[in-house]
Amino acid sequence: MRGARSSRLFAISFDAYQSERLAHFWAGVLGLERADECDDGVASLSRNDAGYRLGFRPSQEQKIAQNRLHFDLISSCLEDQQQTVARALDVGAQHADVGQEPDASHVVLADLEGNGFCVLVLNLTCLP
């Protein structure tokens, strides 16, 4: 194939009313570090296992509509899921009701700007 090039995901960027604060939140939830570079006021997090960055672009508008996308965080067991939920709540997340059943196996939370995300469990017993 002529001119074939390989591409990879470099960054996922989000508009954020308080970009630095939201970047700090997600760094705490995901255990990420601040990237060295900062372009156009974007707070950028890197050093995740997938090799891409999360960027938070300053926006003058607060969130007013449902997200077009959200994070699904996966845990290997129920205990890990509970730790992830506790860590998220410790850095400012709140429980969110999106119509999930009370016995749902996933936990729905919202970040500091109301962006929903789910914490799922891959298996109900810890993997060796």
Side-chain angles (χ1 to χ4, degrees):
M1 184 167 153
R2 184 177 165 221
R5 295 177 188 239
S6 149
S7 297
R8 66 179 181 89
L9 182 63
F10 176 72
I12 299 173
S13 295
F14 301 90
D15 289 344
Y17 186 66
Q18 296 179 326
S19 58
E20 289 288 337
R21 187 170 178 239
L22 199 58
H24 182 74
F25 169 85
W26 282 105
V29 171
L30 299 174
L32 301 178
E33 296 180 25
R34 178 71 185 253
D36 293 336
E37 303 116 30
C38 186
D39 297 324
D40 299 326
V42 176
S44 182
L45 305 176
S46 65
R47 295 189 180 91
N48 63 51
D49 293 339
Y52 57 83
R53 294 179 178 200
L54 297 179
F56 301 91
R57 290 189 184 284
S59 172
Q60 297 302 314
E61 297 182 24
Q62 294 187 16
K63 178 184 180 320
I64 56 172
Q66 185 168 341
N67 301 343
R68 290 187 162 191
L69 63 98
H70 73 266
F71 290 130
D72 283 336
L73 308 180
I74 192 82
S75 301
S76 61
C77 66
L78 186 56
E79 182 181 343
D80 289 346
Q81 179 192 40
Q82 292 168 342
Q83 289 174 358
T84 299
V85 169
R87 188 171 54 251
L89 292 171
D90 283 347
V91 294
Q94 295 183 15
H95 286 277
D97 182 1
V98 294
Q100 69 273 28
E101 297 294 323
D103 61 346
S105 63
H106 64 284
V107 178
V108 183
L109 300 172
D111 69 16
L112 302 175
E113 294 193 4
N115 302 302
F117 64 99
C118 296
V119 184
L120 311 168
V121 63
L122 176 68
N123 202 335
L124 294 179
T125 59
C126 281
L127 303 173

